[in-house]
Amino acid sequence: RSGRVIEAVNQHLLGNYIEIIHPGGVRTIYGHLLEIYVKQNALVRQGQIIGSVGKTGNAKYPDVQPHLHFEIRKNGIPQDPLVYLE
């Protein structure tokens, strides 16, 4: 869904990560990115490329494959992503 980037930073656990707020109190989190293509406060549209898959943060170990850490939270509560994905 479209939304506004509230964080696009590097931190210890998730490495390069992006958090987007969407209408209705829904937030999506994308972690372990190799690169971030958006800036904080940017408006993004559904389908827009916001970053590239990587293995940053605590996923840097040799046996860990590049991947995306993806979360959906509503009002701070983790949600089952299958309910939101088409």
Side-chain angles (χ1 to χ4, degrees):
R1 295 183 184 170
S2 298
R4 183 175 53 84
V5 177
I6 57 173
E7 287 196 278
V9 297
N10 181 285
Q11 58 103 291
H12 178 70
L13 295 175
L14 289 176
N16 292 328
Y17 88 101
I18 299 167
E19 186 169 348
I20 299 174
I21 190 162
H22 307 275
V26 175
R27 294 177 185 233
T28 51
I29 298 168
Y30 308 83
H32 303 306
L33 300 170
L34 178 62
E35 295 182 64
I36 295 173
Y37 301 148
V38 294
K39 294 186 186 282
Q40 189 169 344
N41 294 316
L43 296 176
V44 294
R45 293 188 172 268
Q46 183 173 339
Q48 180 178 340
I49 297 173
I50 59 173
S52 61
V53 172
K55 50 184 280 181
T56 58
N58 65 359
K60 288 190 250 180
Y61 300 103
D63 292 340
V64 175
Q65 296 297 312
H67 66 281
L68 174 67
H69 175 103
F70 175 65
E71 286 184 42
I72 297 177
R73 293 178 175 258
K74 184 169 184 177
N75 300 319
I77 300 169
Q79 303 291 300
D80 179 354
L82 292 178
V83 173
Y84 292 85
L85 301 175
E86 296 176 9

